[in-house]
Amino acid sequence: MQLRNRFWQDILSKKMLVCIFTGFSSGLPLYILISLLPAWLKSYQLDLKAIGLFALIQLPYTWKFLWAPFFDRFSWVMGRRRGWLFFFQILLLLSIPLLGFYNPETEIMMVIVISTLIAFLSASQDVVIDAYRRELLLDKELGLGNAIHVNAYKIASLIPGSLSLILADHM
């Protein structure tokens, strides 16, 4: 009984709550790009080849190691990790809704540019979150913190993957 209570105390600690929220905010933009964006483009009857080319927008996630050292070198007002994290989340909050103002049939280039920007910002946010989580957690907490982060990351796929499609169907 005492071991189970200790387990829940560990999960509900402030550090683990940070892992939950950063994991969720890290996964949401990615799943918008890989599940919601193709469905949105399909609803406008875009060619399947064009929709398939949108998979290239995920390249910033592959190449993020190239600009990751930049975030270690410079810091913002709130500190090296939290300052960058705040910066990227504000830009993501502005750029994700901006995507909805464009019609993919007539303004496909703007959709591509904004989608690429979202991918770059999201990949950069992932770099900062991973570094922040590593600095925040002790070595003995790292396994649980990473597991919580990854599960929150995957739970974030439910929002753009299902809820938004259900809302679009009803609206």
Side-chain angles (χ1 to χ4, degrees):
M1 182 72 167
Q2 188 177 17
L3 185 62
R4 187 171 40 173
N5 289 338
R6 173 82 174 136
F7 175 75
W8 286 109
Q9 286 174 345
D10 286 346
I11 288 182
L12 296 176
S13 72
K14 275 200 281 188
K15 291 179 183 180
M16 296 306 152
L17 289 175
V18 167
C19 291
I20 290 170
F21 290 116
T22 57
F24 189 85
S25 67
S26 184
L28 193 62
L30 173 66
Y31 289 110
I32 286 173
L33 293 174
I34 65 174
S35 66
L36 184 60
L37 185 64
W40 182 54
L41 296 173
K42 180 94 171 101
S43 72
Y44 279 94
Q45 312 304 326
L46 258 62
D47 184 29
L48 285 178
K49 290 179 185 176
I51 295 172
L53 286 174
F54 268 85
L56 294 175
I57 289 173
Q58 298 172 31
L59 282 176
Y61 289 96
T62 304
W63 296 100
K64 62 187 175 184
F65 69 91
L66 293 174
W67 61 86
F70 179 80
F71 305 130
D72 281 334
R73 179 94 171 136
F74 300 102
S75 65
W76 286 82
V77 177
M78 298 170 61
R80 189 169 50 176
R81 305 293 181 223
R82 288 184 294 169
W84 282 114
L85 185 58
F86 182 72
F87 175 72
F88 288 126
Q89 288 188 345
I90 291 297
L91 290 177
L92 282 167
L93 282 172
L94 295 173
S95 60
I96 291 171
L98 185 65
L99 199 56
F101 287 108
Y102 293 97
N103 183 343
E105 291 176 319
T106 59
E107 300 165 311
I108 191 71
M109 279 311 290
M110 281 307 294
V111 171
I112 291 170
V113 168
I114 295 170
S115 299
T116 304
L117 175 68
I118 291 169
F120 174 78
L121 294 172
S122 178
S124 300
Q125 175 185 254
D126 285 357
V127 168
V128 175
I129 286 175
D130 289 343
Y132 181 64
R133 188 176 62 251
R134 182 59 189 115
E135 289 179 358
L136 177 71
L137 300 175
L138 302 172
D139 286 343
K140 66 179 185 173
E141 299 170 325
L142 202 53
L144 179 61
N146 285 338
I148 289 173
H149 175 84
V150 168
N151 283 310
Y153 194 96
K154 292 181 186 256
I155 289 171
S157 70
L158 297 175
I159 303 300
S162 60
L163 182 62
S164 58
L165 295 176
I166 291 168
L167 288 173
D169 189 44
H170 290 288
M171 294 178 144

